[in-house]
Every structure is written in structure tokens, then in C-alpha cells.
Amino acid sequence: MPQPSNRLDAGERVFFDTQLVAIDKRTYLQKYPEFKSRRLIPTIPDIPSWARGHRWTATTEVGKARLAASNATDVPVVDVNSTKNESLIHKYWLSYKYDDDEIRAAIATGVPLDVARAMACRRGVEQIVDEVLATGDAAVGSLGLFNQTGGTTVVASTKAASGHKPWGTLAAPIATGKEVANDIMALAAGVASAMKDVSAKLTLLMPIDNYLYAAGTAYGNASDVSALKFAMSTMSDIIDGVESWWRCSTAGDGGGTVMLAYPRDENVLGGIVNQEYMVDAPIRGIQCEQRVGWMKCGGVIARYPYAIGKMHGI
């Protein structure tokens, strides 16, 4: 156990606390644009930070009005079928340390403490939350955007008869621009049909190579419009936007590619992040000060799973 003589004295403690304020400020200002889950998946609001789970109800209305006959008494009755669900919320944490010699050296030299460890801690916590929102956490049973059950699967349209060949790349093309456009439109149409137009427009996600291929391949031999642009303009009332995401390269069946279509609407699906990044007060260790950074996340819930469409093997 550390001896009292090894602890920081009052003056050193004041210096250390002041340094932590500066470190925290710099850490919170740091941006991590490569973590896309928080931007691509709407966050469910108003879940308190102390909650250990989120309960929600899936409701289906049953009943339809009909023509009223004169003097009839058999008026149809509407009913509501409800299913209660609960998603557990978990804490994800990481820590970093400064030993006493580092702190005292910073005092003596006037050089601020290294902020890199604090930033690495935040990055590590943000990274695991990004992963959980994308693909869930099998260890605790939470689901992410890519592995929801009950989604709408659409088979690649014009390529189905030829062995479901992949698109290829700009360097090694396989599918034609028309085939690529048809795949994009088929996925969007399949989800829109399953949803019966009940929601916002769709966001489409695809692997980086596929996005570049769709954006760089002409729709037809005599066309100056790309396959991607053709599909988006043709289905502008259904498709809101298309983005590339490296996670689509391995999130499909058997670790293969997948194209995803879903409405970015918190009433349809949403991520549970009820505690943003926090750093606890320093914990005294053996001749060191340790700080714990953490967030809380419960994965993604889909109130209407069929609103998430997938096309594998593109």
C-alpha cells in the first residue's frame, strides 16, 4: 500500500487539479469523425443517465371501419396489440494514469502534463460505443444497427440469375452500371414496400469500395450519369441520401459485404446512449493517480425491424 509520505502535498495537488481541468477541456474539444454510428443512428432522447434499462412498447392496431347498415348493431371494434420490450444498458470504461514523478517533473519544469493518454482514453470509450451501436455486444445480448432480427432482406435484382456476382471495384469491374443502379433501387423499393410509406425517407449505407464503384460507373455506355446518381434521382421520393461506411464491408452474412437501407427516424429505430463521456475524480493508486472515463450504451432498438433493409454480397 502507498505510504502517506508518497502522496502529493497540498501545493502539488493544486497543480495537478489545475492540469486536469486543462486536460479535460482539450479532451472534450477533440473530434472523432471516423466514428459514424452516433451520426448515422438517431439517439433515443430522455433516457435518464442512471437507468440500467430502457422499456418500450411495440404497438399494432387491429381493426377496420366498414359501411354502417341501417339499424345494425354489430359495430366493428378496434383493438391494440402491445408487446413490451426491454433493452439493458451497460457501462463501458477505460482509464489512464499519471505517476507521481511525472506530476512533480511537470511542476518543476513548467511543462503541462501529457494530454495524449486522456485523449486515448476518450477515443477508446467512444470506439466501443460506436461498435456496440453498429453491431451490438454479444457478451450482453445487445443488438446494433447491422444485426437486428426481423429485417427486410432484398436479393440483388438483375444479378440473381447470374450467381449473385458482386459489383467489383473500379480497378476490377464486374457488374454494369445498370445492374448497380437496379440493386440500389431494389433495396430502397423493398424497404419502402415493407414500410408501406409509413416513415421518413431512407438512408442507404454501403462499403467504401462499392460506393466509389457506384459513383464512378456510368449508368449506360452513352450516359454521363453515374449509377449512383441515376438511382438517387429516380427514387428521390424514397432515398434521402447514400453514404459509405467501412463497417459495411464485413457486417454482412459470413463477414461479407452488405448494403443497408433504413429511415433515420427515432420513432422507427434509435440508439441508446444515456450517458455521454464522463471522467471520474482521480483514484489514488501506488504512487500514481488514475482516472476512469466511461459512457453508457444499450445498443440499438428497432420498433419496426422490417424498416431495416439488407442486401448481402454486393
Side-chain angles (χ1 to χ4, degrees):
M1 295 293 292
Q3 300 299 317
S5 60
N6 290 333
R7 295 180 182 275
L8 301 179
D9 62 26
E12 292 169 335
R13 170 56 64 182
V14 170
F15 171 86
F16 182 56
D17 289 344
T18 303
Q19 287 283 290
L20 291 181
V21 171
I23 288 171
D24 285 348
K25 183 178 180 180
R26 288 187 61 188
T27 301
Y28 279 96
L29 289 174
Q30 182 72 10
K31 302 297 183 182
Y32 302 102
E34 68 272 27
F35 298 146
K36 287 189 173 183
S37 292
R38 301 291 302 278
R39 178 172 62 82
L40 295 175
I41 304 168
T43 300
I44 299 173
D46 304 324
I47 301 177
S49 59
W50 47 261
R52 296 185 178 182
H54 175 60
R55 293 178 180 174
W56 52 282
T57 302
T59 302
T60 303
E61 297 175 354
V62 180
K64 181 180 179 181
R66 66 169 181 257
L67 178 67
S70 182
N71 298 320
T73 58
D74 57 339
V75 182
V77 179
V78 69
D79 200 358
V80 176
N81 297 328
S82 299
T83 303
K84 296 188 181 299
N85 304 272
E86 181 173 11
S87 295
L88 297 180
I89 300 173
H90 302 277
K91 182 184 294 185
Y92 295 89
W93 59 8
L94 196 59
S95 69
Y96 60 98
K97 297 179 181 179
Y98 294 105
D99 66 41
D100 291 351
D101 286 342
E102 288 179 290
I103 298 170
R104 289 175 176 134
I107 296 172
T109 61
V111 177
L113 288 169
D114 181 17
V115 74
R117 270 170 265 177
M119 295 174 70
C121 181
R122 178 166 190 184
R123 179 185 176 87
V125 175
E126 294 274 5
Q127 181 176 353
I128 188 63
V129 169
D130 185 79
E131 291 175 3
V132 173
L133 291 175
T135 56
D137 187 344
V140 294
S142 60
L143 300 176
L145 177 65
F146 285 98
N147 61 343
Q148 294 287 327
T149 58
T152 298
T153 300
V154 179
V155 177
S157 56
T158 58
K159 297 192 278 96
S162 55
H164 194 63
K165 63 185 179 185
W167 292 358
T169 65
L170 290 172
I174 299 176
T176 65
K178 185 174 182 180
E179 288 176 324
V180 170
N182 284 349
D183 282 350
I184 295 171
M185 293 188 293
L187 178 60
V191 177
S193 177
M195 294 171 57
K196 296 181 173 59
D197 298 326
V198 184
S199 189
K201 291 184 179 181
L202 302 176
T203 293
L204 270 66
L205 305 176
M206 62 180 69
I208 297 172
D209 284 345
N210 293 88
Y211 180 87
L212 294 174
Y213 191 72
T217 301
Y219 175 73
N221 293 333
S223 174
D224 58 355
V225 176
S226 71
L228 179 61
K229 193 171 184 179
F230 179 87
M232 292 181 66
S233 61
T234 302
M235 307 194 75
S236 58
D237 57 335
I238 295 176
I239 299 176
D240 182 53
V242 181
E243 292 199 38
S244 63
W245 197 10
W246 64 268
R247 292 191 183 278
C248 294
S249 299
T250 57
D253 286 345
T257 58
V258 64
M259 178 164 53
L260 210 66
Y262 66 100
R264 211 180 298 188
D265 182 351
E266 68 185 40
N267 294 315
V268 177
L269 58 87
I272 300 175
V273 182
N274 62 322
Q275 176 61 67
E276 295 292 344
Y277 184 74
M278 290 282 294
V279 182
D280 290 341
I283 302 170
R284 184 63 191 177
I286 300 177
Q287 297 191 354
C288 70
E289 300 279 349
Q290 181 178 8
R291 300 197 79 191
V292 176
W294 55 280
M295 292 177 70
K296 294 179 74 175
C297 177
V300 172
I301 64 170
R303 295 183 174 89
Y304 305 98
Y306 51 79
I308 302 175
K310 296 180 182 180
M311 181 178 287
H312 296 279
I314 63 169

